[in-house]
Amino acid sequence: MEWDTFTSIIDEASKYGSRSFSLHLFNEPTLYPKWCEAIKYIHKKNKRNTILLTTNGTTLNSRVDDLIEANPDLVFWSWRTEAKFTDITKSKLRKWGKFRVRFLSHLTPPEAKEEWKDWPNKEDREIHNFGNRIDTKLFGKPDTDIKRWPCGHLWFDPAISYNGNILICCNDSRQEEVLGHYPEMSMNEAWTGQKLKEIRESHLKGIYSGICKGCDAWKTYPSIF
């Protein structure tokens, strides 16, 4: 994403008070040339803004000091075999305290959990199918018969891709449900516009279409209804 576009989005969001920003969307955020500057800009714009960084961890041995100095509010790392941390990196992250290890059900092997058993900040989480684009049964996830509730993403989590497309959901990896394009459409216009209003109303009626049909990401969050 162009830097001017990024700062413009942060500026607009900050008009409405403090906000929570998640710096990830189908990419590795630490490969963005200005990721440290981005974190600092968000905090500078409003000291009450919070920042979540999700990383695959493959760059952290060389960037751990930059990460700690930039100081996002929380970092999620979902365990993956290609990310190997040195003892020095682990020690720094443990002392910092904001690095959370996430184990994904049916994907994380028992030996990985054993390796991280003494880590003070960790969690278990169910895998989901990213808008029905991944067959989670291939990983051994069973079907569960739960009455579906409307997805909270539509009310709380606007998503914008690197190319300026404003999406209805952060699980839309193929950018099929585009509300508009930034900056021609502001984030506020997209979030309060008719298209998203109609999708929300459909969810409230129990009607799920587009990428929402067959998606099970809603199960990973409690119902707000």
Side-chain angles (χ1 to χ4, degrees):
M1 180 178 288
E2 296 293 332
W3 180 250
D4 289 346
T5 301
F6 172 81
T7 56
S8 180
I9 293 168
I10 303 304
D11 292 347
E12 180 190 347
S14 296
K15 293 179 181 179
Y16 302 96
S18 57
R19 290 290 182 268
S20 178
F21 296 89
S22 298
L23 301 185
H24 66 277
L25 195 63
F26 326 128
N27 58 37
E28 169 51 40
T30 62
L31 295 180
Y32 179 53
K34 292 190 174 183
W35 67 277
C36 289
E37 291 93 329
I39 294 171
K40 293 175 182 178
Y41 188 87
I42 294 172
H43 277 153
K44 182 178 179 181
K45 195 66 186 181
N46 186 331
K47 64 181 181 180
R48 295 182 65 187
N49 283 339
T50 58
I51 302 167
L52 166 65
L53 190 75
T54 300
T55 177
N56 63 25
T58 55
T59 70
L60 287 190
N61 284 327
S62 61
R63 303 303 300 272
V64 63
D65 291 333
D66 295 327
L67 175 68
I68 294 171
E69 196 272 332
N71 200 31
D73 296 272
L74 185 62
V75 174
F76 278 117
W77 172 61
S78 295
W79 180 92
R80 52 197 305 146
T81 186
E82 63 267 35
K84 306 293 186 182
F85 301 132
T86 67
D87 290 340
I88 292 176
T89 297
K90 280 187 174 182
S91 177
K92 289 180 178 180
L93 292 173
R94 179 188 287 271
K95 183 177 180 180
W96 183 47
K98 298 182 180 181
F99 186 79
R100 181 172 297 175
V101 177
R102 174 180 281 171
F103 302 125
L104 296 178
S105 62
H106 312 290
L107 288 179
T108 307
E111 57 268 24
K113 291 188 176 183
E114 178 66 21
E115 177 187 356
W116 291 87
K117 66 179 181 179
D118 295 326
W119 195 257
N121 193 347
K122 58 183 182 291
E123 68 175 31
D124 291 281
R125 183 165 179 174
E126 286 286 324
I127 57 173
H128 62 80
N129 63 18
F130 283 93
N132 204 25
R133 295 304 178 194
I134 298 175
D135 185 358
T136 55
K137 290 193 289 295
L138 294 175
F139 305 107
K141 182 181 179 181
D143 289 326
T144 53
D145 186 19
I146 303 175
K147 184 177 180 181
R148 186 166 183 174
W149 54 77
C151 183
H153 278 302
L154 300 177
W155 278 265
F156 295 114
D157 304 316
I160 182 166
S161 188
Y162 72 94
N163 58 8
N165 282 341
I166 305 172
L167 311 174
I168 69 167
C169 178
C170 62
N171 294 303
D172 186 8
S173 60
R174 299 184 184 181
Q175 301 190 37
E176 299 175 60
E177 303 279 358
V178 178
L179 298 172
H181 187 271
Y182 192 91
E184 292 82 8
M185 174 181 283
S186 70
M187 294 298 292
N188 182 60
E189 289 170 333
W191 205 239
T192 60
Q194 184 62 28
K195 184 174 181 179
L196 188 55
K197 180 181 178 181
E198 291 174 356
I199 298 173
R200 289 178 180 135
E201 290 176 348
S202 292
H203 271 233
L204 292 173
K205 295 176 182 177
I207 301 171
Y208 306 99
S209 59
I211 66 165
C212 300
K213 185 177 181 180
C215 181
D216 67 353
W218 56 274
K219 295 180 182 179
T220 62
Y221 306 96
S223 173
I224 61 172
F225 302 93

